[in-house]
Amino acid sequence: MNEYIRQYGMQLTVGEHSARHIRRIVRSLLDSWELPELYDAAALGVTELVSNVVRHVPDRRCRVLVLRQGAGVRVEVADGVDQPPLLGLGLAAEAEGGRGLVLLDAVASKWGVDRRSGGGKTVWFECGTSA
């Protein structure tokens, strides 16, 4: 296990292909931390959170932080928009979006939204940690 890198952060402006590149970084970190079994859940979570930035944050800027936590991982995506994401419950069967956080809730150990003191929010999830 790589004891030197316990967290990895990046500030970026995201686009429609950004989640794919961020997933590659997450895979590399999880492999380095000997936690490859967490990849599917972490990949789904990071895809959802980055996609929400692309769709709902006008300047598409965010900070992504991946933290090693014992036998698990925490991923945080912070942006400058105060509006929290909406949990897509009660959507019409033909709706094309809005189910990402429902999926995240199903695969993550826990997740949440924190308001940032200077404005904006951080949406986070944890995988492989106790619920």
Side-chain angles (χ1 to χ4, degrees):
M1 171 178 57
N2 188 334
E3 292 293 329
Y4 299 107
I5 300 174
R6 306 260 332 144
Q7 67 180 33
Y8 184 85
M10 57 196 122
Q11 291 188 24
L12 56 156
T13 302
V14 293
E16 62 183 60
H17 300 293
S18 297
R20 174 179 47 179
H21 301 296
I22 296 167
R23 285 192 305 267
R24 288 181 183 153
I25 293 167
V26 169
R27 180 183 295 277
S28 177
L29 289 167
L30 291 174
D31 285 345
S32 173
W33 295 334
E34 299 177 359
L35 297 171
E37 68 279 5
L38 300 180
Y39 177 72
D40 289 339
L44 186 147
V46 80
T47 298
E48 170 56 25
L49 299 187
V50 169
S51 295
N52 281 348
V53 172
V54 171
R55 285 186 199 107
H56 303 294
V57 176
D59 65 7
R60 294 185 171 187
R61 291 186 195 183
C62 66
R63 180 169 195 281
V64 178
L65 182 62
V66 184
L67 301 136
R68 170 72 191 264
Q69 291 188 315
V73 65
R74 177 181 173 108
V75 177
E76 300 179 357
V77 178
D79 63 55
V81 173
D82 291 331
Q83 178 68 34
L86 301 174
L87 193 60
L89 299 174
L91 292 171
E94 63 276 358
E96 293 185 17
R99 293 181 181 81
L101 291 176
V102 174
L103 292 172
L104 178 63
D105 188 58
V107 301
S109 301
K110 57 185 170 179
W111 70 276
V113 181
D114 298 327
R115 294 208 181 269
R116 294 181 17 207
S117 61
K121 66 184 172 300
T122 299
V123 185
W124 57 269
F125 67 91
E126 296 178 358
C127 298
T129 58
S130 59

